[in-house]
Amino acid sequence: MCGIVGYIGTKKASPILINGLIRLEYRGYDSAGISTIEKDGLSIMKDKGRVNNLYNLPGIDDLEGTIGIAHTRWATHGKPSKENSHPHMDNSKAFSVVHNGIIENYNELKKFLTDNGYTFYSQTDTEVIPNLIHYYYEKDNTNDDNKFLKAVKNACLDLKGSFALEVICKDFPENMIVVRKDSPLVIGKGNGENYVSSDIPAILSFTKDFYLLNDLEFVILSKNDAKFYDKDLNMIEKETKTIEWNASSAEKDGFEDFMLKEIYEQPTAIRETIGSKLNENSKCEFDELNFTKEYLNSINKIYIIACGTAMHAGLVAKNVMEKLCKIQTEVDIASEFRYREPLVDKNTLSIFISQSGETADTIAALKLCKEKGAKTIAISNVIGSSITREAHYSIYTHAGPEIAVASTKAYTSQVVLLTLLAIYFAEILGNSKDIIENLKKDILDLPKKVDETLKDSEIIKNFAKKVYQEHDIFFLGRGIDETVARESALKLKEISYIHADSYPAGELKHGPIALIEKDITVIGIMTDPKLVDKTVSNIQEVISRGAKTLIVTNQKIDSKMFDLVIKIPETNAFISPILSVIPLQLFAYYISKEKGLDVDKPRNLAKSVTVE
Ligand code: M6R
């Protein structure tokens, strides 16, 4: 969580930094701040609340500095307030620092520094960092050019936890030092200028050439150069990576919100994800993996591990993995998996899904599986993200930048990619040939059918208008539809703040039906021909207790029974979630709009959860 941006070049830094912060606001919006080097030393401006508050501070336009760092905060230690806002300075006001991550041993460091005469003005963990840098800087009696770098390095080696840092120093007005450990940070290479950011889209309009950093690599940036060092301060070489994303894909393109734009980008996202692995009449190709039949036969279990929506994509994939590959597949929440001593060994294949590639719990679960000898595959939407650098193998969804906190196009692209992965395994194993041929055709037809599904938005908007003031909404489904019920409930609660719950429809009468009362809204999803009659019966049970019902289905059902039926195109049951989730993404979106909420930046949430 938290977003950081940096600029060093010949232009005024402040407008560039504020522009970057606006794009990174999805990572946290409790406060925002900026620090530049001005003619008379370091300047800091910061305020509680959104970047807009910072932008409106008197004097912000007068900043002339061409080097600066900036931060948008998702509060962890200390309440959202001006004092706790970044940047933070050391007591002597020589160093200014922004930080994304958590310093786990900050109490211990604070005590050490207090004992050495330092005073603290905030409740943050971050404030120890500039003071620790100052401590090492003062201890160093040399005057060599690397004095600033050495102080930052020594301070970082004392830190436990995660950090992405930008540091500027009044004595080195031509340099900025950046470093990361377990928190995201990229460097954008410009012409006579360099940029730093927590993610690529925030600075994509300035450059397409990026340096990606590994843990504890230190960088001295100047306007014309970037010098890289390992943790022993040996110089290292780094190549830039060119990112093909289009800068306009990180803009709203005329849509009111990023979420709506991203919902409508799903046909393209899915088409591109399919196109990267499958062509008509061909085998599924995953050149990055190159797995053999012998290896796949040796697998005792597949674990799919992720958080939130990405985990829901895993739940969809369990079905297709087990059916096509005949390998037991378990899906786990990363933060739970890590702490329950999972049975993983060298014959386990573990797959980690993360749109951002920066989710701390998912990365930690991956590290655990590696330690236990398992092969690891990362599925991410962000090239070069942390998780892809940890995993043995990485494969990518091609959804383009996803900015809205609520994940939409990443989820459907993940489901597509996982289905293709299951096909790839099954083709090597020589399993399920007939099913695969039909499934491939259905996959290739998906972009067209997603387009069709998106056409129902007006009907959904009208239904949302009727129910947006409700306090509880329930989602029911069976089999694969139950996974969509979970995802839809998550979507609704995160952006509308309505209590939403999902249940396997058959489980209703074992308890949850006690919650059903007159006029409550229940949403049913029915796409599996084998289960549709059973689900209809379960929905009847709630109708007879007075519930209003919205049904999403591709089956022939008696529409008169329900308040609203959204028909979606028919497709293979394995991939039906890709279509059935879409009306419910729109439903959540329109409810949030009716309530006048900030759809893209829901309260208390951040796009990538880089703390555990
Ligand atoms: O970047 P990741 O896919 O690892 O993120 C995982 C979850 O934090 C994320 O899916 C979250 O649940 C979304 N806000 C849901 O819309």
Side-chain angles (χ1 to χ4, degrees):
M1 337 282 240
C2 301
I4 64 179
V5 205
Y7 173 77
I8 181 162
T10 51
K11 303 185 189 111
K12 258 174 86 143
S14 58
I16 296 171
L17 295 172
I18 287 176
N19 180 299
L21 285 185
I22 290 168
R23 288 157 199 265
L24 284 178
E25 232 188 356
Y26 71 85
R27 299 178 64 88
Y29 24 88
D30 289 327
S31 64
I34 170 174
S35 179
T36 53
I37 305 186
E38 301 295 311
K39 285 200 186 73
D40 52 354
L42 290 179
S43 124
I44 286 199
M45 298 191 83
K46 54 189 183 180
D47 205 356
K48 192 181 152 189
R50 299 218 161 168
V51 178
N52 211 26
N53 295 4
L54 173 70
Y55 177 71
N56 288 322
L57 284 181
I60 197 118
D61 292 338
D62 304 334
L63 295 173
E64 294 293 338
T66 57
I67 160 170
I69 58 179
H71 187 271
T72 178
R73 178 169 185 245
W74 187 82
T76 56
H77 295 68
K79 61 179 195 278
S81 66
K82 186 169 176 187
E83 308 75 68
N84 289 333
S85 311
H86 298 219
H88 288 282
M89 275 185 170
D90 68 301
N91 287 177
S92 76
K93 303 202 182 321
F95 299 95
S96 196
V97 169
V98 291
H99 166 222
N100 169 28
I102 286 187
I103 304 306
E104 289 162 5
N105 58 337
Y106 83 102
N107 271 326
E108 190 186 306
L109 294 170
K110 203 166 178 173
K111 178 163 183 332
F112 168 78
L113 289 164
T114 311
D115 291 349
N116 279 278
Y118 289 84
T119 306
F120 289 87
Y121 300 95
S122 76
Q123 293 112 40
T124 64
D125 52 342
T126 302
E127 204 184 351
V128 297
I129 302 172
N131 286 306
L132 202 56
I133 295 172
H134 177 263
Y135 169 82
Y136 281 115
Y137 192 76
E138 286 300 302
K139 241 178 106 180
D140 184 347
N141 296 323
T142 66
N143 250 333
D144 72 51
D145 291 348
N146 276 351
K147 190 171 171 178
F148 179 20
L149 176 65
K150 281 192 288 175
V152 174
K153 186 240 27 181
N154 285 330
C156 286
L157 295 188
D158 284 350
L159 304 177
K160 294 205 175 101
S162 57
F163 48 87
L165 298 177
E166 294 172 340
V167 191
I168 49 177
C169 172
K170 74 170 173 35
D171 298 342
F172 289 79
E174 307 287 316
N175 292 141
M176 174 189 307
I177 294 186
V178 301
V179 56
R180 70 177 284 260
K181 180 181 164 280
D182 297 329
S183 285
L185 192 82
V186 295
I187 295 168
K189 183 180 182 309
N191 196 358
E193 54 194 359
N194 281 304
Y195 302 84
V196 186
S197 173
S198 295
D199 76 15
I200 290 169
I203 50 175
L204 207 52
S205 54
F206 302 116
T207 179
K208 284 190 184 309
D209 297 324
F210 289 86
Y211 294 107
L212 305 175
L213 292 186
N214 293 320
D215 277 356
L216 287 177
E217 285 178 349
F218 295 82
V219 193
I220 303 187
L221 289 176
S222 55
K223 61 177 189 246
N224 290 314
D225 202 8
K227 290 198 173 86
F228 298 88
Y229 300 84
D230 68 13
K231 69 175 182 352
D232 300 315
L233 298 192
N234 300 310
M235 272 194 91
I236 47 179
E237 290 295 320
K238 232 172 227 298
E239 298 287 315
T240 54
K241 204 172 177 95
T242 303
I243 300 295
E244 299 304 341
W245 285 347
N246 182 332
S248 77
S249 60
E251 308 286 347
K252 281 191 201 157
D253 268 350
F255 283 87
E256 241 179 273
D257 303 278
F258 278 112
M259 182 179 175
L260 191 62
K261 173 181 172 245
E262 288 160 8
I263 290 174
Y264 277 88
E265 280 174 342
Q266 289 180 106
T268 311
I270 291 168
R271 187 176 296 113
E272 300 209 345
T273 302
I274 298 170
S276 68
K277 302 290 169 220
L278 177 70
N279 293 312
E280 221 157 328
N281 304 324
S282 68
K283 286 201 160 202
C284 257
E285 302 286 356
F286 278 80
D287 296 340
E288 320 78 328
L289 301 181
N290 220 353
F291 285 177
T292 60
K293 185 169 181 174
E294 193 190 6
Y295 167 65
L296 289 172
N297 274 324
S298 75
I299 294 175
N300 55 16
K301 196 191 303 166
I302 296 177
Y303 265 119
I304 303 181
I305 298 154
C307 299
T309 288
M311 194 276 292
H312 293 159
L315 290 174
V316 179
K318 170 184 166 72
N319 202 24
V320 68
M321 280 289 174
E322 290 192 335
K323 297 260 167 49
L324 298 190
C325 310
K326 318 279 180 236
I327 304 175
Q328 186 194 343
T329 303
E330 300 300 334
V331 182
D332 228 311
I333 296 170
S335 55
E336 292 294 318
F337 176 84
R338 296 174 56 190
Y339 297 105
R340 66 170 179 76
E341 298 184 19
L343 296 175
V344 173
D345 60 28
K346 66 176 184 9
N347 293 325
T348 311
L349 174 64
S350 46
I351 302 174
F352 301 84
I353 315 168
S354 176
Q355 185 285 129
S356 61
E358 304 296 345
T359 299
D361 281 314
T362 311
I363 295 172
L366 186 151
K367 287 181 181 163
L368 178 71
C369 286
K370 261 170 92 178
E371 272 163 36
K372 287 175 175 277
K375 269 201 180 18
T376 57
I377 302 180
I379 296 188
S380 181
N381 194 37
V382 181
I383 294 175
S385 55
S386 302
I387 204 163
T388 65
R389 278 177 284 146
E390 283 292 340
H392 295 109
Y393 308 95
S394 296
I395 54 181
Y396 291 96
T397 48
H398 293 263
E402 191 181 66
I403 309 288
V405 165
S407 181
T408 53
K409 61 177 180 171
Y411 166 78
T412 45
S413 303
Q414 285 157 356
V415 174
V416 167
L417 190 64
L418 284 156
T419 310
L420 293 169
L421 187 65
I423 295 177
Y424 165 73
F425 291 165
E427 284 186 327
I428 296 174
L429 289 164
N431 289 352
S432 319
K433 289 195 180 121
D434 293 351
I435 307 180
I436 287 177
E437 280 326 298
N438 291 328
L439 180 55
K440 279 185 179 171
K441 285 195 196 104
D442 283 324
I443 290 176
L444 290 165
D445 274 347
L446 269 175
K448 196 174 72 218
K449 291 184 178 172
V450 173
D451 248 335
E452 248 176 79
T453 311
L454 284 165
K455 295 203 172 105
D456 273 336
S457 68
E458 272 307 304
I459 314 173
I460 297 161
K461 189 174 181 177
N462 290 335
F463 190 77
K465 280 189 177 146
K466 287 188 194 145
V467 300
Y468 75 96
Q469 282 170 319
E470 299 203 359
H471 296 291
D472 307 281
I473 294 186
F474 295 98
F475 293 78
L476 304 178
R478 299 176 77 121
I480 199 108
D481 295 325
E482 191 265 331
T483 67
V484 178
R486 288 199 205 199
E487 170 57 10
S488 309
L490 172 62
K491 217 86 307 168
L492 183 65
K493 65 187 122 184
E494 72 178 327
I495 61 168
S496 76
Y497 317 150
I498 293 176
H499 167 245
D501 235 327
S502 67
Y503 294 103
E507 192 56 17
L508 209 60
K509 51 177 115 26
H510 298 283
I513 200 159
L515 297 168
I516 303 299
E517 52 190 28
K518 190 165 164 17
D519 284 335
I520 208 154
T521 295
V522 174
I523 296 178
I525 304 136
M526 310 176 191
T527 64
D528 188 336
K530 293 192 302 303
L531 294 168
V532 65
D533 290 342
K534 301 264 178 230
T535 317
V536 167
S537 304
N538 298 137
I539 303 280
Q540 257 164 346
E541 291 158 11
V542 300
I543 293 175
S544 59
R545 285 161 180 85
K548 293 196 286 292
T549 50
L550 161 66
I551 305 296
V552 176
T553 187
N554 55 14
Q555 301 295 301
K556 288 198 179 62
I557 54 169
D558 179 4
S559 303
K560 290 193 292 300
M561 286 170 54
F562 311 101
D563 292 278
L564 178 63
V565 174
I566 304 287
K567 285 290 258 180
I568 55 169
E570 268 189 66
T571 188
N572 193 304
F574 288 131
I575 49 174
S576 67
I578 293 166
L579 300 178
S580 57
V581 80
I582 289 172
L584 299 171
Q585 293 172 339
L586 287 166
F587 177 68
Y589 173 80
Y590 286 121
I591 293 217
S592 179
K593 290 303 276 185
E594 280 302 320
K595 293 183 81 168
L597 300 173
D598 186 339
V599 177
D600 288 337
K601 299 187 197 95
R603 70 182 179 205
N604 305 337
L605 291 174
K607 180 69 178 164
S608 39
V609 184
T610 52
V611 293
E612 296 175 18

